[in-house]
Amino acid sequence: SRSASTINCYVSGISSVLQACVELWGWLESNPCRYLRRLPLNNARVRFLSAEEQLRLLAACCSDQNLKDVVLLALLTGARRGEICELRWRDMDLKDSLVTFPNTKNGETRTIPLAQEALDLLRRRLLERRPGKEDRVFPAEKSEGPIDVSHRFPRLCLLTGIQDFRFHDLRHSAASALAGAGVSETK
């Protein structure tokens, strides 16, 4: 009654212990877990905001401007939460309407053009930037480092009645909007 992902994690954990038995202590000649085939995972998930949900979400964000800016930038760029929260002003080229994400999931730097609404958002944030703070576009309000929306966003979704929606799903919403506008998918 366990998911394939959980079973694969269990096997990986046992395999690590058995590999130590082989390499460090010489108690085994080989790791029997090496011969086990991992279970296939079906993690496919496609959830995006309806137009009505998007309006509700952004309206509810009005009490938290920093969260609203992060959510809106995610919807406008399709960037991941970590990519947005880690942005620094040196990653921006507001003159040429470009943003560079240096810390992507696959380790490659990615530069994308900015829509006018995203450009306006970033220019406003630049003007409102607090002197002495780090070079972050979204600095933490009460500490050093980047903003953390990992608890705020789920609370907001709960408050607005948007169910089964994670921050990462904003990427799907962005992709859906781009596809609807006729933008082709690129690597």
Side-chain angles (χ1 to χ4, degrees):
S1 66
R2 303 276 190 247
S3 72
S5 176
T6 301
I7 292 169
N8 286 344
C9 284
Y10 289 166
V11 170
S12 292
I14 294 169
S15 179
S16 295
V17 172
L18 293 175
Q19 194 62 32
C21 291
V22 171
E23 293 177 4
L24 298 177
W25 304 304
W27 295 347
L28 296 172
E29 290 185 26
S30 67
N31 181 349
C33 287
R34 295 281 170 138
Y35 308 107
L36 293 176
R37 184 175 295 152
R38 301 294 195 253
L39 297 175
L41 301 178
N42 183 8
N43 290 338
R45 175 186 165 89
V46 180
R47 167 75 164 94
F48 51 90
L49 290 172
S50 67
E52 184 267 333
E53 286 176 322
Q54 185 171 325
L55 289 173
R56 279 192 353 238
L57 183 67
L58 292 174
C61 283
C62 285
S63 63
D64 187 343
Q65 188 63 51
N66 288 325
L67 179 60
K68 183 177 184 178
D69 289 349
V70 170
V71 168
L72 193 54
L73 198 58
L75 285 168
L76 294 169
T77 63
R80 291 177 177 87
R81 181 180 67 196
E83 294 170 346
I84 293 171
C85 292
E86 290 288 340
L87 272 177
R88 295 180 181 266
W89 288 111
R90 66 177 175 250
D91 303 325
M92 302 291 150
D93 182 351
L94 300 180
K95 181 180 169 227
D96 291 330
S97 303
L98 297 171
V99 62
T100 300
F101 297 104
N103 302 318
T104 62
K105 183 178 176 182
N106 64 6
E108 295 177 12
T109 299
R110 183 175 76 246
T111 300
I112 63 169
L114 291 168
Q116 187 61 47
E117 193 175 356
L119 197 55
D120 292 343
L121 180 154
L122 292 168
R123 284 184 176 144
R124 177 183 48 77
R125 288 195 69 84
L126 182 60
L127 291 174
E128 294 172 354
R129 181 169 65 160
R130 292 180 288 177
K133 271 302 212 179
E134 297 179 51
D135 183 40
R136 296 186 188 278
V137 177
F138 297 101
E141 292 95 343
K142 297 178 182 176
S143 63
E144 295 298 315
I147 191 171
D148 180 14
V149 298
S150 59
H151 299 292
R152 291 150 77 169
F153 185 77
R155 246 190 328 258
L156 184 72
C157 288
L158 188 64
L159 178 72
T160 58
I162 298 173
Q163 297 180 346
D164 189 35
F165 195 78
R166 303 178 308 209
F167 192 93
H168 187 80
D169 296 328
L170 293 171
R171 280 177 62 84
H172 302 162
S173 296
S176 175
L178 288 171
V183 178
S184 63
E185 184 178 334
T186 60
K187 184 177 177 183

